Amino acid sequence: MDSDGTRPKCPRGLLTNDYYDNIETFISAAYETGHDFLATPIVHPKYGDRVNGYKGKQLQEWRARPVYDRDDLILKKAQSQEVTLGLLSKWLKLDSKDADLRVNSEIALRQEIQWACHLGLFAVATPCLPSKGSVANLARVLNHAVSAMSVTQLFVHVKVADVKDLESNRAWKQWNKLRNLTEHNPKIGIILELTFHLPKNEMLLDMWLAEPVKAIIIPAEIFVSNPKGYPVLKKSHQAFVKKLMEKTAPYIALTIPPTQIHPMAVPNSYCEYINFLNNHLSKMDPVEQFAFGYQDFLQNPLQPLMDNLDNSMYATFESDPIKYQEYENAVYHALLDRVKDGSDYESVVMVVGAGRGPLVNCCLRAADRADRKIHVYAVEKNPNAFVTLQNAKAETWHDQVTLVFADMRKWKPERQCDILVSELLGSFGDNELSPECLDGAQKFLKPDGISIPCAYTAYVSPMASSKLYNEVASYKDLTHFETPYVVMFQKTCELAPSKPVWTFEHPNPQVDGEPTDNLHNVRFASVDFQAGPQDMIMHGIAGYFEAQLYKNVMISIHPQTHSPGMFSWFPIFFPIRTPLQVPAHSNVSIQFWRATDEKKVWYEWSASVENDEGDVTADTPIHNVGGRSYWVGL
């Protein structure tokens, strides 16, 4: 990423299934025309013809010890191997009903992959998956093969749609079948080929964003000519390619036009067009720039009650301009409403969880804007942050601010406040225990006092993300599948728009004085989602929050209402242990619990899939029972 938010460029390559006898000349021509890599067959087609012609003892000898002759190979030696993608032979049919062809294909595929790894190719790609039929033996062989591949990557060639039935998502079903057979093997990626026609159902395209798409093939035949005669993509293809470029940054392989004859005349107009798309991707917004390099990176949620934040963490959160702008607006409007008669009344504002003081500054700026007198109490329990507050008081705030070193739940103030301000929210709204903290601080407020925020709502949606599922699965234990993570989503796809699960309000009318228990903060919700007209897979649950600071002043990470440019919070991801198959038009039901005892708060969650008749076709166990894997300490 450049400093101006320009996205990284996608490598552009040339894919050929020809030029067997002069591959070195072709490689030179490809690089001279601006291509970054080359995709080419590894083995000459005549090798397959010869192998499948073997009979009897000759076949037995080859199967026992398959060895290439030099003339069997297109790639005979290591040459630009770090920028070469090897195409496995098209004749390989690992799920053929012909036993000889099936066995020969398995042996030859292993042989080709071993040669590619010996050369050090950066990747190999399988022949295109069939639109129907078994892929079980292919999955088994690939699963074995990738276990021995360290540098060379393996891509499964998949067409984006079945050309005979665009809206069936049959191509994805075949990929999903293979992916399930390999247990979501993270070493197996996709090289996705665009077809001349794309599905009209946008979800059939967006679902590929949640898959491990490492490269895309753009055949020359799907380009059209613009008024100046240059090759361009149709708007539908261009939009999809740009979305892939922004979300997955794939290798882009262009095929040679069918009219092209001579290898030295490799056209560069197609490559120039991809370069044009690269240069005209949308600039990263402030949130994307802030999160660059951390997309789809699992982070444990903060526990500010148990753990004191360090200086760098405070500095990161304080760099968010939008959050504090909205807090200032909320305090400004609250002060105007608090004193409407123009009297010389001084409002008392308490900032609880003051940190290094950004909310104190918001309150003081709001008072200046509103031309109101205020006195601020800054309450903080972190002894290190409290030193910073002392510095700010001595150097800037002086008598306008009173510092209090205390836990807001236990401090007994001598006077009550007009406005109570806090920023205790987490990615799920209540997951950093804002309800429990503000229950304890509520006694600070006058009976008609104002809490900022005054309410916040948690949202969930079913989500697909092969990347996030594999990240969690790599730990190979139950604990990580029962732990929520803060994640900047990138290679993800929501199966349906998010819905609310619960809301907390402040001041809380259920709290009168010191709460004797925490049962009023227990929650349960069951939310139903309708799947679209395509089969999908669910890897987990996405979580968001939307907060009302005061009246119409809001902050939100909920996709439908996200505060533009605010990056203090990433969404939260709740994994599920076994991905759920979600057939077209089925119902996805998510159950969520917020539970508590005297020492901790935790979440439990489960999901199920039902058909049109209400029968459960897939479900999960309840995750994190009793907070056995994840909890937040009180």
Side-chain angles (χ1 to χ4, degrees):
M1 181 193 72
D2 293 338
S3 58
D4 64 349
T6 300
R7 297 178 187 276
K9 299 290 191 293
C10 297
R12 303 151 301 166
L14 199 60
L15 184 151
T16 178
N17 284 297
D18 206 338
Y19 303 130
Y20 303 133
D21 300 323
N22 47 18
I23 191 65
E24 294 181 7
T25 302
F26 181 75
I27 290 173
S28 298
Y31 294 139
E32 286 173 5
T33 49
H35 296 85
D36 302 310
F37 69 95
L38 181 73
T40 177
I42 302 169
V43 178
H44 200 289
K46 65 183 181 183
Y47 182 68
D49 295 337
R50 189 171 78 249
V51 166
N52 289 313
Y54 288 153
K55 302 294 181 182
K57 184 177 180 180
Q58 192 178 29
L59 179 60
Q60 292 176 12
E61 289 176 348
W62 175 82
R63 288 180 173 178
R65 190 170 179 267
V67 179
Y68 291 125
D69 290 330
R70 185 176 186 276
D71 290 342
D72 294 331
L73 296 167
I74 296 172
L75 296 177
K76 297 178 174 63
K77 57 185 177 181
Q79 179 179 357
S80 304
Q81 67 272 15
E82 70 279 0
V83 288
T84 302
L85 190 160
L87 305 177
L88 302 178
S89 296
K90 289 185 175 181
W91 67 266
L92 300 173
K93 308 291 182 186
L94 279 87
D95 287 276
S96 173
K97 293 181 180 179
D98 182 318
D100 280 341
L101 178 57
R102 184 175 63 251
V103 174
N104 290 350
S105 296
E106 179 174 337
I107 294 170
L109 182 141
R110 294 180 188 276
Q111 186 185 15
E112 287 194 39
I113 289 179
Q114 289 170 3
W115 178 246
C117 292
H118 174 75
L119 293 180
L121 305 189
F122 82 84
V124 294
T126 70
C128 189
L129 281 187
S131 61
K132 58 182 179 180
S134 175
V135 293
N137 196 46
L138 174 62
R140 181 186 68 85
V141 174
L142 294 183
N143 232 7
H144 282 274
V146 295
S147 64
M149 297 170 68
S150 55
V151 176
T152 303
Q153 303 175 67
L154 190 144
F155 302 159
V156 174
H157 183 172
V158 186
K159 288 190 176 179
V160 73
D162 180 71
V163 293
K164 296 180 180 178
D165 189 356
L166 291 175
E167 308 302 323
S168 69
N169 83 328
R170 187 184 296 170
W172 179 86
K173 291 178 184 178
Q174 284 291 90
W175 155 251
N176 189 50
K177 189 189 301 183
L178 184 141
R179 176 249 302 281
N180 288 331
L181 288 165
T182 62
E183 294 185 294
H184 292 246
N185 194 315
K187 293 185 176 182
I188 299 176
I190 294 174
I191 182 167
L192 188 66
E193 180 179 346
L194 271 61
T195 48
F196 186 81
H197 297 289
L198 294 179
K200 294 181 180 179
N201 178 359
E202 192 172 349
M203 181 61 82
L204 289 175
L205 296 175
D206 285 349
M207 59 198 301
W208 290 109
L209 301 177
E211 303 297 350
V213 176
K214 306 296 185 180
I216 59 176
I217 299 172
I218 308 181
E221 301 91 277
I222 73 172
F223 282 84
V224 296
S225 295
N226 68 7
K228 294 183 178 181
Y230 291 103
V232 298
L233 293 175
K234 293 181 288 186
K235 288 185 177 179
S236 58
H237 290 73
Q238 182 184 124
F240 181 50
V241 169
K242 290 178 73 172
K243 191 177 289 187
L244 284 168
M245 293 170 80
E246 291 178 355
K247 293 291 186 180
T248 68
Y251 290 87
I252 299 177
L254 303 159
T255 69
I256 298 173
T259 56
Q260 192 66 36
I261 300 174
H262 196 278
M264 288 302 291
V266 172
N268 63 359
S269 52
Y270 298 86
C271 181
E272 289 175 349
Y273 177 74
I274 298 302
N275 192 46
F276 170 83
L277 294 185
N278 261 327
N279 291 332
H280 288 81
L281 297 176
S282 64
K283 293 289 183 70
M284 292 187 183
D285 62 31
V287 178
E288 290 176 302
Q289 292 185 51
F290 175 78
F292 184 73
Y294 288 91
Q295 295 94 335
D296 295 329
F297 179 78
L298 303 177
Q299 301 178 73
N300 289 319
L302 296 175
Q303 296 222 27
L305 273 184
M306 292 177 58
D307 306 321
N308 290 324
L309 302 184
D310 62 30
N311 195 58
S312 62
M313 190 68 70
Y314 281 119
T316 298
F317 292 139
E318 290 171 16
S319 64
D320 187 328
I322 306 303
K323 174 176 66 173
Y324 294 112
Q325 171 185 301
E326 295 308 313
Y327 263 98
E328 180 182 328
N329 288 335
V331 176
Y332 168 76
H333 289 291
L335 286 171
L336 292 180
D337 289 346
R338 197 66 185 158
V339 184
K340 294 182 178 180
D341 58 4
S343 65
D344 198 30
Y345 176 79
E346 180 183 71
S347 295
V348 177
V349 179
M350 287 191 181
V351 176
V352 291
R356 302 196 312 176
L359 283 186
V360 176
N361 289 324
C362 286
C363 295
L364 296 174
R365 290 195 301 267
D368 289 340
R369 283 174 57 193
D371 194 23
R372 294 289 187 263
K373 293 181 180 180
I374 68 168
H375 187 82
V376 179
Y377 285 81
V379 183
E380 177 54 52
K381 71 172 184 62
N382 182 342
N384 302 310
F386 195 73
V387 174
T388 306
L389 293 176
Q390 293 177 56
N391 292 335
K393 177 177 171 64
E395 298 169 6
T396 307
W397 300 333
H398 307 300
D399 293 338
Q400 285 183 289
V401 177
T402 297
L403 303 182
V404 179
F405 178 58
D407 185 323
M408 70 184 77
R409 297 169 296 173
K410 301 174 182 178
W411 180 51
K412 305 293 184 181
E414 296 181 356
R415 59 192 298 196
Q416 290 183 306
C417 64
D418 299 274
I419 303 172
L420 181 67
V421 185
S422 66
E423 54 172 333
L424 307 170
L425 301 172
S427 295
F428 205 43
D430 56 85
N431 62 293
E432 293 185 13
L433 303 192
S434 178
E436 286 74 17
C437 291
L438 292 182
D439 282 351
Q442 185 170 308
K443 59 183 176 290
F444 304 166
L445 267 176
K446 294 177 180 177
D448 61 345
I450 296 168
S451 175
I452 299 175
C454 60
Y456 36 90
T457 301
Y459 290 80
V460 297
S461 65
M463 190 178 76
S465 177
S466 179
K467 167 71 171 174
L468 293 181
Y469 176 80
N470 284 330
E471 288 290 327
V472 178
S474 68
Y475 290 99
K476 299 180 180 180
D477 61 27
L478 175 66
T479 298
H480 285 84
F481 272 116
E482 295 190 332
T483 298
Y485 302 93
V486 173
V487 183
M488 177 59 181
F489 295 151
Q490 179 83 350
K491 299 176 183 178
T492 63
C493 179
E494 288 191 345
L495 278 63
S498 53
K499 292 184 177 181
V501 287
W502 52 62
T503 298
F504 287 91
E505 297 181 349
H506 302 286
N508 187 343
Q510 294 179 284
V511 175
D512 184 14
E514 295 285 354
T516 56
D517 56 52
N518 199 33
L519 294 178
H520 57 282
N521 286 324
V522 168
R523 296 287 190 274
F524 168 72
S526 182
V527 191
D528 293 331
F529 301 86
Q530 187 69 38
Q534 67 284 317
D535 290 5
M536 295 195 73
I537 191 169
M538 177 179 171
H539 292 109
I541 302 164
Y544 312 95
F545 81 89
E546 182 180 86
Q548 179 186 10
L549 297 182
Y550 181 67
K551 292 189 174 178
N552 294 326
V553 183
M554 309 284 293
I555 56 173
S556 172
I557 64 167
H558 182 220
Q560 281 72 44
T561 58
H562 195 289
S563 303
M566 186 176 73
F567 52 72
S568 282
W569 297 273
F570 294 161
I572 197 166
F573 174 64
F574 294 88
I576 56 176
R577 284 151 57 182
T578 303
L580 294 181
Q581 301 299 317
V582 182
H585 302 294
S586 56
N587 180 75
V588 178
S589 181
I590 293 176
Q591 294 76 44
F592 245 95
W593 294 263
R594 187 184 198 267
T596 184
D597 59 23
E598 64 276 6
K599 294 183 179 180
K600 62 183 184 293
V601 172
W602 68 93
Y603 300 103
E604 300 178 19
W605 60 94
S606 64
S608 61
V609 180
E610 299 177 357
N611 60 22
D612 293 340
E613 299 177 355
D615 298 322
V616 175
T617 60
D619 56 10
T620 73
I622 296 174
H623 290 59
N624 197 35
V625 174
R628 64 189 173 195
S629 297
Y630 169 82
W631 47 270
V632 188
L634 286 167

